[in-house]
Amino acid sequence: MLTFIYLVVLMVPAVLLFFWLQAFGFALPTKRSSIGTAFLSVVLWIPTLLIVVFTYNILAVCIELYMELFQQYVGLHYVNTLYSLDGLLSSFVFITFYFVTNVFYSFWVAKLFVRFYPRILKLVNKTRQSRGLPDLTDER
């Protein structure tokens, strides 16, 4: 049961990113655009998760340095390994922080990706041209 909860919690960024990309009207120019967008969401999950953990670590360090009494009751611990993240996944304070920041950061990661997609596509096409492959099109 606990493994299922961990899976759900860790997949939240990918689901949110998929939602935001669809809401922004982003679809890959293939016949299976929803599969491609889902794959892209999973790839964008990594920076979103790293930003959330980085933000949490900054908050944990600030609370540890400046509010020792508060830290005793809340129990924020610095995340530097997967084991420490695993320990925090049973904390309601962390889960709440995790969900709230994931909504915020997944929105901005998806928005930045949609905004910079034409530049990314140019870079990909430049590489494809050097290999003699046809360009990908931006038919969204």
Side-chain angles (χ1 to χ4, degrees):
M1 178 67 176
L2 206 51
T3 305
F4 175 72
I5 293 170
Y6 290 168
L7 179 66
V8 168
V9 166
L10 290 175
M11 288 310 297
V12 163
V15 173
L16 285 170
L17 281 162
F18 181 78
F19 167 75
W20 289 124
L21 288 173
Q22 292 293 322
F24 293 148
F26 181 82
L28 294 174
T30 62
K31 291 179 184 175
R32 297 183 183 99
S33 65
S34 62
I35 293 171
T37 307
F39 176 75
L40 186 59
S41 300
V42 172
V43 170
L44 291 175
W45 164 82
I46 295 167
T48 305
L49 182 66
L50 291 176
I51 293 169
V52 168
V53 170
F54 181 73
T55 304
Y56 174 81
N57 283 339
I58 289 173
L59 182 66
V61 167
C62 289
I63 287 175
E64 185 178 331
L65 291 176
Y66 299 109
M67 296 184 256
E68 292 178 15
L69 182 65
F70 184 70
Q71 198 262 351
Q72 176 184 359
Y73 293 108
V74 177
L76 298 179
H77 304 287
Y78 189 76
V79 176
N80 57 356
T81 64
L82 288 176
Y83 292 114
S84 58
L85 181 62
D86 183 43
L88 284 171
L89 287 176
S90 60
S91 165
F92 285 119
V93 172
F94 179 76
I95 299 277
T96 303
F97 174 83
Y98 184 78
F99 279 116
V100 170
T101 54
N102 262 311
V103 170
F104 178 75
Y105 287 128
S106 64
F107 173 84
W108 287 105
V109 167
K111 186 172 178 153
L112 283 172
F113 178 79
V114 169
R115 183 174 183 182
F116 290 107
Y117 179 72
R119 292 181 185 168
I120 295 168
L121 190 61
K122 274 186 183 178
L123 237 141
V124 168
N125 283 336
K126 197 178 213 183
T127 305
R128 290 177 64 91
Q129 288 170 356
S130 70
R131 295 188 59 219
L133 298 171
D135 287 354
L136 295 176
T137 59
D138 188 15
E139 298 171 6
R140 293 186 277 155

Coordinates of all heavy atoms in Angstrom, one line a residue, residues 63-95:
I63 N 14.5 27.3 8.0 CA 13.7 27.0 9.3 C 14.7 26.4 10.3 O 14.6 26.8 11.5 CB 12.6 26.0 9.0 CG1 11.5 26.8 8.3 CG2 12.0 25.4 10.3 CD1 10.3 25.9 7.9
E64 N 15.6 25.6 9.9 CA 16.6 25.0 10.8 C 17.5 26.1 11.4 O 17.9 26.1 12.5 CB 17.5 24.0 10.1 CG 18.4 23.3 11.0 CD 19.2 22.2 10.3 OE1 18.7 21.6 9.4 OE2 20.4 21.9 10.7
L65 N 17.9 27.1 10.5 CA 18.8 28.1 11.0 C 18.1 29.2 11.9 O 18.6 29.7 12.8 CB 19.4 28.8 9.8 CG 20.5 28.0 9.0 CD1 20.9 28.8 7.8 CD2 21.6 27.6 9.9
Y66 N 16.9 29.5 11.5 CA 16.2 30.7 12.1 C 15.1 30.4 13.0 O 14.7 31.2 13.9 CB 15.7 31.7 11.0 CG 16.8 32.2 10.2 CD1 17.0 31.8 8.9 CD2 17.8 33.1 10.7 CE1 18.0 32.3 8.1 CE2 18.8 33.5 10.0 CZ 18.9 33.1 8.6 OH 20.0 33.6 7.9
M67 N 14.5 29.2 12.9 CA 13.3 28.9 13.7 C 13.5 27.5 14.3 O 12.7 26.6 13.9 CB 12.1 29.0 12.9 CG 11.8 30.4 12.4 SD 10.2 30.4 11.5 CE 10.8 30.5 9.8
E68 N 14.4 27.3 15.2 CA 14.7 26.0 15.7 C 13.5 25.4 16.4 O 13.2 24.2 16.3 CB 15.9 26.0 16.6 CG 17.2 26.3 15.9 CD 18.3 26.4 16.9 OE1 18.2 26.0 18.0 OE2 19.4 26.9 16.4
L69 N 12.7 26.2 17.1 CA 11.5 25.8 17.8 C 10.5 25.2 16.9 O 9.9 24.2 17.1 CB 11.0 26.9 18.7 CG 9.7 26.5 19.5 CD1 10.1 25.5 20.6 CD2 9.2 27.8 20.2
F70 N 10.3 26.0 15.8 CA 9.3 25.6 14.8 C 9.7 24.3 14.1 O 8.9 23.4 13.9 CB 9.1 26.7 13.7 CG 8.1 26.4 12.7 CD1 6.7 26.4 13.0 CD2 8.4 26.1 11.4 CE1 5.8 26.2 12.1 CE2 7.5 25.9 10.4 CZ 6.1 25.9 10.8
Q71 N 11.0 24.1 13.8 CA 11.5 22.9 13.2 C 11.3 21.7 14.0 O 11.0 20.6 13.5 CB 13.0 23.1 12.9 CG 13.5 22.2 11.8 CD 14.2 21.0 12.4 OE1 14.5 20.9 13.6 NE2 14.5 20.0 11.5
Q72 N 11.3 21.8 15.3 CA 11.1 20.7 16.2 C 9.7 20.1 16.1 O 9.5 18.9 16.1 CB 11.3 21.2 17.7 CG 11.0 20.1 18.7 CD 11.2 20.7 20.1 OE1 11.5 21.9 20.3 NE2 10.9 19.9 21.1
Y73 N 8.7 21.0 15.9 CA 7.3 20.5 15.8 C 6.9 20.1 14.3 O 6.1 19.2 14.2 CB 6.3 21.6 16.2 CG 6.5 21.9 17.7 CD1 7.0 23.1 18.1 CD2 6.0 21.0 18.6 CE1 7.2 23.4 19.4 CE2 6.1 21.3 20.0 CZ 6.7 22.5 20.4 OH 6.8 22.7 21.7
V74 N 7.5 20.7 13.4 CA 7.2 20.4 12.0 C 8.0 19.2 11.5 O 7.6 18.3 10.7 CB 7.4 21.6 11.1 CG1 7.1 21.2 9.6 CG2 6.4 22.7 11.5
G75 N 9.3 19.1 11.8 CA 10.1 18.0 11.5 C 10.6 18.1 10.0 O 10.6 17.1 9.3
L76 N 11.0 19.3 9.6 CA 11.6 19.4 8.2 C 13.0 18.9 8.2 O 13.8 19.3 9.1 CB 11.5 20.8 7.7 CG 10.2 21.5 7.6 CD1 10.3 22.9 7.1 CD2 9.3 20.7 6.6
H77 N 13.3 18.0 7.3 CA 14.7 17.5 7.2 C 15.2 17.7 5.8 O 14.5 17.6 4.8 CB 14.7 16.0 7.5 CG 14.1 15.7 8.8 ND1 14.8 16.0 10.0 CD2 12.9 15.1 9.2 CE1 14.1 15.6 11.0 NE2 12.9 15.1 10.6
Y78 N 16.4 18.0 5.7 CA 17.1 18.3 4.4 C 17.1 17.0 3.5 O 17.4 15.9 4.0 CB 18.5 18.8 4.6 CG 19.3 19.3 3.5 CD1 19.0 20.5 2.9 CD2 20.2 18.5 2.8 CE1 19.6 21.0 1.8 CE2 20.9 19.0 1.7 CZ 20.6 20.2 1.2 OH 21.2 20.7 0.1
V79 N 16.8 17.2 2.3 CA 16.7 16.0 1.3 C 18.0 16.0 0.5 O 18.2 16.9 -0.3 CB 15.5 16.1 0.4 CG1 15.5 14.9 -0.6 CG2 14.2 16.1 1.2
N80 N 18.8 15.0 0.7 CA 20.0 14.9 0.0 C 20.2 13.5 -0.6 O 21.2 13.2 -1.4 CB 21.3 15.3 0.8 CG 21.4 14.5 2.0 OD1 20.6 13.6 2.3 ND2 22.5 14.7 2.7
T81 N 19.4 12.5 -0.3 CA 19.4 11.2 -0.8 C 18.0 10.7 -1.1 O 17.0 11.3 -0.6 CB 20.0 10.2 0.1 OG1 19.2 10.1 1.3 CG2 21.5 10.6 0.5
L82 N 17.8 9.6 -1.8 CA 16.5 9.1 -2.1 C 15.9 8.5 -0.8 O 14.7 8.5 -0.6 CB 16.6 8.0 -3.1 CG 16.8 8.5 -4.6 CD1 16.9 7.4 -5.5 CD2 15.6 9.4 -5.0
Y83 N 16.8 8.1 0.1 CA 16.3 7.5 1.4 C 15.7 8.6 2.3 O 14.7 8.4 2.9 CB 17.5 6.8 2.2 CG 17.9 5.6 1.5 CD1 19.2 5.5 1.0 CD2 17.1 4.5 1.4 CE1 19.6 4.3 0.3 CE2 17.5 3.3 0.8 CZ 18.8 3.2 0.2 OH 19.2 2.1 -0.4
S84 N 16.3 9.8 2.2 CA 15.7 10.9 3.0 C 14.4 11.4 2.4 O 13.5 11.7 3.1 CB 16.7 12.1 3.1 OG 17.1 12.6 1.9
L85 N 14.3 11.3 1.1 CA 13.1 11.7 0.4 C 12.0 10.6 0.7 O 10.9 10.9 1.0 CB 13.3 11.8 -1.1 CG 12.0 12.1 -2.0 CD1 11.5 13.5 -1.6 CD2 12.4 12.0 -3.4
D86 N 12.4 9.4 0.8 CA 11.5 8.3 1.1 C 11.0 8.5 2.5 O 9.8 8.2 2.8 CB 12.3 6.9 1.0 CG 11.4 5.7 1.3 OD1 10.2 5.7 0.8 OD2 11.8 4.8 2.1
G87 N 11.8 8.9 3.4 CA 11.4 9.1 4.8 C 10.4 10.3 4.9 O 9.5 10.3 5.7
L88 N 10.5 11.3 4.1 CA 9.6 12.4 4.1 C 8.3 12.2 3.4 O 7.3 12.9 3.7 CB 10.3 13.6 3.4 CG 11.4 14.3 4.2 CD1 12.1 15.4 3.4 CD2 10.7 15.0 5.4
L89 N 8.2 11.1 2.6 CA 7.0 10.9 1.9 C 5.9 10.4 2.8 O 4.7 10.2 2.4 CB 7.2 9.9 0.8 CG 7.9 10.4 -0.4 CD1 8.2 9.4 -1.5 CD2 7.1 11.6 -1.1
S90 N 6.2 10.1 4.1 CA 5.2 9.7 5.1 C 4.8 10.9 5.9 O 4.0 10.8 6.8 CB 5.7 8.6 5.9 OG 6.9 9.0 6.6
S91 N 5.3 12.1 5.7 CA 5.0 13.3 6.4 C 3.9 14.1 5.7 O 4.1 14.5 4.6 CB 6.3 14.2 6.6 OG 5.9 15.4 7.0
F92 N 2.8 14.4 6.4 CA 1.8 15.2 5.8 C 2.2 16.6 5.5 O 1.8 17.2 4.5 CB 0.5 15.3 6.7 CG -0.2 14.0 6.7 CD1 -0.4 13.3 7.9 CD2 -0.8 13.5 5.6 CE1 -1.1 12.1 7.9 CE2 -1.5 12.3 5.5 CZ -1.7 11.6 6.7
V93 N 3.1 17.2 6.3 CA 3.6 18.5 6.0 C 4.4 18.5 4.7 O 4.2 19.4 3.8 CB 4.6 19.0 7.2 CG1 5.3 20.3 6.8 CG2 3.8 19.1 8.5
F94 N 5.2 17.5 4.5 CA 6.0 17.4 3.2 C 5.0 17.2 2.0 O 5.2 17.8 1.0 CB 7.0 16.3 3.3 CG 7.8 16.2 2.0 CD1 8.7 17.1 1.6 CD2 7.5 15.2 1.1 CE1 9.4 17.0 0.4 CE2 8.2 15.1 -0.1 CZ 9.2 16.0 -0.4
I95 N 4.1 16.3 2.2 CA 3.1 15.9 1.1 C 2.3 17.2 0.7 O 2.2 17.5 -0.5 CB 2.2 14.8 1.5 CG1 2.9 13.6 1.9 CG2 1.1 14.6 0.5 CD1 3.3 12.7 0.7

